Amino acid sequence: MASRVLAGIDIGSSKIATIIAQVSSDDGKVNIIGAAAVPSIGVRKGQIVNIEEATQGIISSVEAAERMAGYSLSKAFISVGGAHIASQNSKGVVAVAEPEGEITPDDVRRVIEAAKAISLPSSREILHCLPRFFAVDSQEGVKDPVGMTGVRLEVETHIITGSSTSIRNLAKSASEVGADIQGMVFGGVAASEAVLTETEKELGVILVDIGGGTTEIMIFIEGAPAYTSVLPIGAKNVTNDLAIGLRLSLESAEKLKLYLSEKAKEPVFPQEEKVEKGESKEKSSDEIDLSSLGIYEETKTVSRRTLVEGIIRPRLNEIFTMVGLEIKKSGLGGLTPSGIVLTGGGAQTVGAIEAAKRTLSMPVRIGFPGGVSGLVDDILTPSFSSSIGLILYGLKTQEVGSGKISFGGIGRIVQRVPVGGFFQKAIGLIKSLLP
């Protein structure tokens, strides 16, 4: 049996990343064979604002990944983000088809469909219906009821919904690549696959994925998601603050932010004591010469202390205060002893861990993606969590089978075939045969 190929396209506010992976049929290991990321255009705060530009960006990213992998994509998983994402919990109840026999996967499908019967405005649609736990007759907390005996089957699900317009625009842009869309996956669900451990999910954990334009929050209780929210603020706000505060261009401000993040592991003020003693020579350690970073603008040197304490820290505090308000709104704050897992490109901003610990009073760690091998040198960073998570999500969903239902919080994929996808593939095939 040949190895399978899975692909994920993460369409974010700051970059569009494509990852192509091969799944070994022997041991199920995921081997990355192609990866590419291009700067995002036509996307703002996780939503498409210019279809033509976004389509060009997606095509550039996919073509670069295809060249690296030597493989042409026929289908892919697409990430969905943006402040239009919302969530709610819903219950479903059905009678077991054969009360004398065992509960079958068909009963499970029926009860999840029953849970999806919620009142939604016509402008919204369900992205995921994730089973949290089942109840068989009076026995609650069942993770997988298949094979058990009972008369009445109940399920508690976590439903993630999104704006139909935003999802359709995203599907339209992605389908222009000529590949079928295997599933639309919320970015937080994908990232959780790549960075969270089963133990953390079981104990209770909060995933905070800080992207360029949005911050995605997912709270897991007893191994399954219980609350999802998206804030319209992200790491680009820190860049904007630097640009305004120092009167730099956005490109220069981004360079400076990345430089500070790379240096974040060093003590922020290593020479502080000596400076206080009047050893002015050492003072230069706090000064950053912008020309050494290739920034040639009016400001020549800046103080690292001023940047971190005066500009970056207040913005991080604001982001985590908003996260704290969402946790309070969910009412689940006391049920997450595993604390916060920060991921996404913004998680590497200088001082992010300290700001999160101070503002939220919880243990905090940065989540790096795992579970993959191959060409991973440049992509095992928090900014690729959602991209790698799309592959792992697709793998788990396919393993469960054609029913698209899985337990442990993976849930159901929404199948969506893009209009014209078949014709584009047929044209592509004809083109490839021409000399």
Side-chain angles (χ1 to χ4, degrees), residues 78-359:
I78 311 294
S79 73
V80 182
H84 62 93
I85 298 289
S87 71
Q88 65 185 89
N89 294 331
S90 169
K91 284 187 177 180
V93 184
V94 293
V96 176
E98 294 180 29
E100 301 300 314
E102 297 177 346
I103 292 170
T104 64
D106 193 52
D107 291 317
V108 175
R109 273 188 207 101
R110 283 194 301 115
V111 77
I112 289 173
E113 287 298 321
K116 285 171 64 182
I118 57 172
S119 175
L120 273 183
S122 57
S123 60
R124 296 189 70 76
E125 62 182 83
I126 293 174
L127 259 179
H128 299 279
C129 183
L130 309 166
R132 294 182 61 209
F133 53 82
F134 296 85
V136 179
D137 292 349
S138 58
Q139 184 185 346
E140 293 188 348
V142 177
K143 287 291 181 186
D144 183 355
V146 174
M148 295 177 77
T149 306
V151 177
R152 172 189 168 101
L153 180 63
E154 296 175 61
V155 67
E156 173 85 29
T157 62
H158 180 64
I159 294 177
I160 299 175
T161 63
S163 156
S164 303
T165 313
S166 296
I167 293 168
R168 275 201 297 271
N169 287 337
L170 194 64
K172 184 179 177 184
S173 291
S175 65
E176 293 295 322
V177 176
D180 285 342
I181 296 175
Q182 264 184 298
M184 307 286 276
V185 186
F186 170 55
V189 170
S192 70
E193 283 302 304
V195 304
L196 296 183
T197 65
E198 290 304 317
T199 310
E200 283 175 331
K201 289 183 190 175
E202 200 62 46
L203 287 171
V205 69
I206 301 168
L207 176 75
V208 179
D209 184 348
I210 306 174
T214 57
T215 297
E216 297 169 346
I217 303 161
M218 280 196 84
I219 302 179
F220 288 80
I221 307 288
E222 293 179 2
Y227 183 81
T228 300
S229 180
V230 179
L231 301 173
I233 185 171
K236 277 189 176 178
N237 294 78
V238 176
T239 308
N240 293 348
D241 289 353
L242 283 171
I244 294 164
L246 299 176
R247 296 177 185 167
L248 299 174
S249 66
L250 281 173
E251 291 78 10
S252 300
E254 185 67 22
K255 265 188 198 175
L256 182 56
K257 185 181 81 173
L258 293 175
Y259 170 78
L260 287 167
S261 301
E262 284 165 15
K263 295 285 180 184
K265 290 180 183 176
E266 300 175 11
V268 178
F269 313 118
Q271 312 296 342
E272 194 170 359
E273 290 175 18
K274 292 183 181 178
V275 172
E276 283 172 4
K277 289 175 188 173
E279 295 180 29
S280 58
K281 285 182 185 176
E282 302 293 348
K283 193 174 181 181
S284 60
S285 63
D286 181 44
E287 296 290 329
I288 298 169
D289 183 4
L290 296 184
S291 59
S292 66
L293 303 180
I295 301 171
Y296 302 101
E297 296 185 36
E298 280 183 37
T299 315
K300 299 290 184 205
T301 58
V302 288
S303 162
R304 191 175 174 187
R305 178 200 288 268
T306 305
L307 294 180
V308 175
E309 290 193 352
I311 299 177
I312 296 174
R313 187 176 289 173
R315 179 60 81 177
L316 288 174
N317 287 345
E318 183 194 5
I319 292 172
F320 291 120
T321 300
M322 290 172 76
V323 170
L325 290 172
E326 285 296 325
I327 296 169
K328 190 176 179 183
K329 186 175 159 187
S330 73
L332 303 168
L335 303 173
T336 54
S338 294
I340 307 272
V341 176
L342 288 183
T343 195
Q348 291 177 295
T349 306
V350 58
I353 291 182
E354 292 77 12
K357 280 182 180 172
R358 188 172 55 251
T359 310

